[in-house]
Amino acid sequence: MTTALWKRNVIGAVVAAAALAVIAIFIVDPFWQDYQRTVRPAHTAVAGEPVAVDGHTWGVSPAHRSTERPGYGAPLPEGTVLMTVTLERSGPPEAGFGCAGFLVDGERSWRAAGPPCGAATSMPWTFTIPASAEPTAVDVRDLSGSIMNRLQL
């Protein structure tokens, strides 16, 4: 009697482990991979150097800080500055291509105000950020949120 119970428990444990492995591989892993693409860049360029990706060359100009909005002269909210970064892309535009820019400071990031990627090859992006922020990079993300390129400042 105890021998049959022992065998049944081992078989049950093997079946449970196999079920957990199937769940991890087929259900959890695709979502985990999607998440990883939103926090780890596919390509990284060191400061001042362009990066070539899929027939396009991406580069970023030096960032400029300002305490006034251009053209308006109105002051920004207290404790904030306006940072302007121009992203340069060479290569043929792709149909239906879209992306957005994010300024990165460690764990924090700010979405760009300015034209999204598309047919444009020069994209001036502005960011309203806290005056204490010291951004280190600009992320170029596709419309799903995946980081395509990280360009160090």
Side-chain angles (χ1 to χ4, degrees):
M1 179 78 154
T2 58
T3 308
L5 185 60
W6 177 81
K7 288 179 184 178
R8 187 177 65 190
N9 287 345
V10 168
I11 292 170
V14 169
V15 169
L20 286 174
V22 167
I23 288 171
I25 291 170
F26 293 106
I27 296 174
V28 176
D29 190 55
F31 292 108
W32 180 251
Q33 295 300 323
D34 289 344
Y35 167 73
Q36 287 296 310
R37 284 190 289 274
T38 65
V39 294
R40 293 197 177 132
H43 305 279
T44 303
V46 297
E49 295 292 322
V51 62
V53 179
D54 297 331
H56 296 277
T57 302
W58 299 81
V60 66
S61 67
H64 301 284
R65 287 180 179 247
S66 175
T67 56
E68 293 184 351
R69 292 186 178 106
Y72 299 105
L76 293 167
E78 190 172 327
T80 63
V81 295
L82 193 68
M83 184 166 270
T84 304
V85 174
T86 302
L87 188 74
E88 302 288 340
R89 183 190 68 202
S90 66
E94 296 178 24
F97 175 73
C99 69
F102 287 81
L103 194 63
V104 179
D105 174 19
E107 294 294 317
R108 303 183 295 176
S109 66
W110 299 271
R111 188 180 177 110
C117 300
T121 57
S122 180
M123 294 153 278
W125 286 338
T126 57
F127 306 87
T128 303
I129 62 172
S132 62
E134 291 297 329
T136 57
V138 174
D139 282 351
V140 179
R141 298 183 187 185
D142 66 14
L143 299 180
S144 71
S146 297
I147 304 172
M148 299 182 329
N149 302 323
R150 176 163 288 166
L151 306 163
Q152 302 290 332
L153 296 175

